[in-house]
Amino acid sequence: MLFQDIFLNFGFWDALEMGLYFIIVGYFVLLFFYFLLIRYRTSKKLYWLFFSFLFICFGIGRVFFIIYYFFAPELYTGTNGDEVVAFLMMNYRLATFFTWLGTACAVGVLGILLFPPETQEGKTRGGSFKDWFKNRNNITLLVRIGLFIIPVVIGILTLTLPESLFIDPDFIDDYGITIEPINVNILGWEYPLCRFLWNFIFMPLFVTLIPFIFLYLAWKTFGVLRKSYALNAIGFFLYFIGRILQGALDVAVLPHVRAILPPLIILLALLILVIANTYEQLK
């Protein structure tokens, strides 16, 4: 049980990993309040609002992941497998949902940087539907909305699609449940279909997209902005690499490496992101 004297499902390395992720959650909360109350409150720029909610979404998602990986399995008594799996999957769905909401906020930041609202010309009034699409400002608006919506849709699908698309195959034996998982099979290796799509298809796309656009912005600018954009690219790249590594090392059954490497990479990424977005104050 969860409140028993001895935890049954994790040892030293699990405790170390959990502690590192609690530190990460603390940094997420701190960064949320910093960017919201100091940066956004004083500048009223939508950029900082997106940036602040990016961190709180990632933080909330990480809390649910901590429950999923460390605390929920302790509820298993040997006879309540269905209830424990339902609780596990609820936490996994919520964790993934908030993670993709955070990714949507990151894409929102990019949309503002690529197509700054204050630099766009006034909207044309009247005209046909065809004329509306000829307006470049309208096209950029659609691009910004489209980029933002994609991660949100993925998050909503995580909450609504059947559990069989997400459930860990090990749950079948560990908890004695009867759900038939829908897995992708690659040369005998099986992995839940939607987890495979989310973690190894869509997430790598955003891993590539977000840092690449920041690098593009660094290339197009000069001075402090160039260094800030370059550091943002490195920070986001390291963050998503840490997220992907956690799942990859879990699949590879490397608990010792998984306990240390991904959270340390994420902590380094957060440090770089803070430096990137306070660079002008550190000069």
Side-chain angles (χ1 to χ4, degrees):
M1 296 294 292
L2 183 60
F3 299 107
Q4 60 196 356
D5 294 334
I6 300 175
F7 285 90
L8 301 177
N9 294 292
F10 66 90
F12 171 77
W13 292 105
D14 299 296
L16 177 62
E17 181 181 8
M18 181 178 63
L20 289 173
Y21 279 119
F22 271 124
I23 294 173
I24 290 172
V25 170
Y27 275 111
F28 278 140
V29 175
L30 181 64
L31 291 173
F32 165 70
F33 284 112
Y34 170 75
F35 286 114
L36 181 67
L37 299 180
I38 297 179
R39 285 309 191 105
Y40 175 70
R41 185 179 61 85
T42 56
S43 68
K44 302 301 181 184
K45 290 184 178 180
L46 193 60
Y47 173 91
W48 296 118
L49 184 64
F50 272 121
F51 223 88
S52 62
F53 277 96
L54 176 157
F55 288 113
I56 198 62
C57 286
F58 282 161
I60 294 172
R62 180 49 53 187
V63 169
F64 284 116
F65 272 127
I66 289 173
I67 297 173
Y68 173 80
Y69 283 110
F70 302 107
F71 291 113
E74 296 296 323
L75 297 172
Y76 184 55
T77 62
T79 59
N80 60 343
D82 290 334
E83 292 82 358
V84 172
V85 169
F87 184 62
L88 282 164
M89 294 310 300
M90 180 190 72
N91 281 280
Y92 176 81
R93 287 175 183 270
L94 290 172
T96 305
F97 171 73
F98 280 104
T99 298
W100 281 104
L101 278 189
T103 304
C105 291
V107 174
V109 168
L110 290 178
I112 293 172
L113 293 175
L114 287 173
F115 314 112
E118 59 269 17
T119 63
Q120 295 182 13
E121 300 175 358
K123 296 181 180 179
T124 57
R125 298 181 180 179
S128 65
F129 189 72
K130 185 177 180 180
D131 292 334
W132 191 89
F133 276 98
K134 290 181 179 179
N135 189 323
R136 183 179 178 183
N137 292 337
N138 295 332
I139 299 300
T140 57
L141 177 63
L142 288 178
V143 171
R144 289 172 62 185
I145 294 174
L147 289 174
F148 180 82
I149 285 178
I150 291 173
V152 175
V153 170
I154 294 175
I156 293 173
L157 288 175
T158 303
L159 295 177
T160 56
L161 289 175
E163 286 188 353
S164 56
L165 294 168
F166 297 96
I167 195 164
D168 190 328
D170 292 338
F171 287 177
I172 308 298
D173 297 326
D174 293 345
Y175 299 104
I177 58 175
T178 57
I179 297 176
E180 187 67 29
I182 300 176
N183 298 327
V184 59
N185 191 312
I186 302 176
L187 300 176
W189 174 71
E190 292 188 346
Y191 199 69
L193 177 60
C194 278
R195 287 201 195 195
F196 177 82
L197 293 175
W198 284 194
N199 296 339
F200 298 109
I201 303 296
F202 291 112
M203 187 60 74
L205 286 176
F206 283 96
V207 167
T208 304
L209 175 66
I210 294 175
F212 174 79
I213 294 180
F214 270 115
L215 286 175
Y216 168 77
L217 291 169
W219 177 60
K220 297 289 287 185
T221 54
F222 302 93
V224 173
L225 276 179
R226 167 173 287 183
K227 295 175 182 178
S228 177
Y229 288 147
L231 287 172
N232 269 304
I234 296 171
F236 276 110
F237 179 75
L238 288 176
Y239 176 81
F240 286 120
I241 287 298
R243 286 280 292 107
I244 293 174
L245 266 181
Q246 183 189 15
L249 293 173
D250 191 26
V251 172
V253 194
L254 295 171
H256 297 173
V257 181
R258 190 196 70 183
I260 299 176
L261 187 59
L264 289 182
I265 290 176
I266 292 174
L267 282 172
L268 177 61
L270 292 179
L271 175 62
I272 293 174
L273 287 172
V274 170
I275 294 174
N277 290 280
T278 56
Y279 192 82
E280 70 279 4
Q281 299 178 8
L282 298 175
K283 289 189 65 180

